[in-house]
Amino acid sequence: MSRFRSLLQASLNATKKALTWNLEDLVPPSERYIFKFDSKEELNRWHLYSDSEYGGLSSASLEIKESSDGSNSTGIFSGNLSLDVDEGSKWNMSRSGFCGMRTKRFDGFIDLESYDTLALKLKGDGRCYISTIYTENWVNSPGQQEDNSWQAFVFVPKDNWYIAKIPLARYLPTWRGNVIDAQLEMNPSRIVGMSLAVNAQGGVPGSWSGPGDFRVEVDWIKALRAQS
């Protein structure tokens, strides 16, 4: 009888250990890298856009910067913001002076359901940038194929590395750059893309704005679980 009890206790202990291990295995880590700007291959996941596509005269570039000892690399998003418009443009532009870097559409989705914050490690120029998260469209109709977009301002202090932490709840639903006055919630499990952009006008108080050069250095973008 004592042997049976020993076997039963051993079996219960093993089951308890297995259940505990499985539970820990199911809990995602507290942070997750989404992008690390450490190679030219990483830049191939992004493309540039600007008002030049519509007759504006702004320009942008995205390149890799390697450290002097070769131990680390970062991405440099830079260019020039112009408020001018090409006189020969066929587009009736209502505004100019913007540039951005956007991911090429993912093969599938990024699932950030287990996280509540997006973090970006940046070194900038004192301008205010715009972080955008694109999610799968909630309207499945031929007349509206664009992804949903959610935007938040990111002030990037000049010349020093800065980790901007933006709660996902702070991202506001937008339509072509304008905030939508509607009660909508982001679905963080169906993220199809991200972007970082800059406008010549607007931004948070205290940030530098206006036409001219811009430059921001990007080390990484992570998802964080800031709240337990």
Side-chain angles (χ1 to χ4, degrees):
M1 190 69 174
S2 59
R3 183 179 179 184
F4 174 77
R5 288 178 178 173
S6 298
L7 288 173
L8 178 60
Q9 187 61 50
S11 177
L12 290 173
N13 291 340
T15 300
K16 182 178 179 181
K17 183 177 180 180
L19 289 174
T20 303
W21 181 87
N22 287 334
L23 180 62
E24 293 175 350
D25 189 52
L26 289 173
V27 176
S30 60
E31 63 179 43
R32 170 186 171 184
Y33 278 106
I34 304 174
F35 300 103
K36 295 180 69 175
F37 293 83
D38 56 1
S39 67
K40 292 182 178 180
E41 289 73 23
E42 179 72 10
L43 297 192
N44 291 334
R45 302 173 65 185
W46 298 79
H47 68 86
L48 296 168
Y49 64 90
S50 72
D51 57 43
S52 63
E53 300 173 25
Y54 308 98
L57 300 178
S58 300
S59 60
S61 66
L62 180 60
E63 58 188 359
I64 283 290
K65 173 188 174 183
E66 295 184 357
S67 60
S68 57
D69 59 2
S71 60
N72 187 43
S73 298
T74 54
I76 304 291
F77 173 47
S78 62
N80 182 270
L81 298 171
S82 173
L83 298 178
D84 298 329
V85 178
D86 186 351
E87 294 181 357
S89 173
K90 65 179 181 180
W91 300 92
N92 183 19
M93 291 188 67
S94 60
R95 61 179 179 177
S96 61
F98 63 89
C99 293
M101 49 181 279
R102 177 173 175 170
T103 56
K104 298 174 183 177
R105 192 172 180 89
F106 301 149
D107 183 15
F109 305 95
I110 286 182
D111 184 355
L112 299 184
E113 181 69 37
S114 300
Y115 302 91
D116 54 51
T117 302
L118 192 71
L120 305 89
K121 185 177 180 181
L122 308 165
K123 182 193 290 187
D125 50 12
R127 286 187 182 270
C128 183
Y129 289 78
I130 301 171
S131 171
T132 304
I133 295 175
Y134 301 94
T135 57
E136 185 181 39
N137 198 323
W138 66 78
V139 178
N140 186 15
S141 67
Q144 188 167 332
Q145 296 295 329
E146 294 185 29
D147 301 323
N148 297 335
S149 61
W150 309 79
Q151 296 185 335
F153 283 128
V154 184
F155 172 65
V156 186
K158 187 177 181 179
D159 298 332
N160 293 312
W161 282 108
Y162 171 71
I163 298 179
K165 297 180 180 180
I166 313 169
L168 296 183
R170 192 185 299 172
Y171 282 83
L172 299 177
T174 62
W175 170 251
R176 297 183 178 178
N178 297 311
V179 175
I180 299 173
D181 186 15
Q183 296 297 319
L184 302 172
E185 290 188 8
M186 180 194 300
N187 182 357
S189 67
R190 307 290 281 186
I191 293 174
V192 297
M194 294 183 180
S195 72
L196 187 67
V198 60
N199 288 337
Q201 299 174 316
V204 299
S207 61
W208 173 41
S209 62
D213 293 340
F214 70 89
R215 185 182 189 277
V216 62
E217 190 169 350
V218 189
D219 192 351
W220 45 252
I221 300 175
K222 290 180 181 178
L224 305 177
R225 191 167 59 253
Q227 300 178 1
S228 57

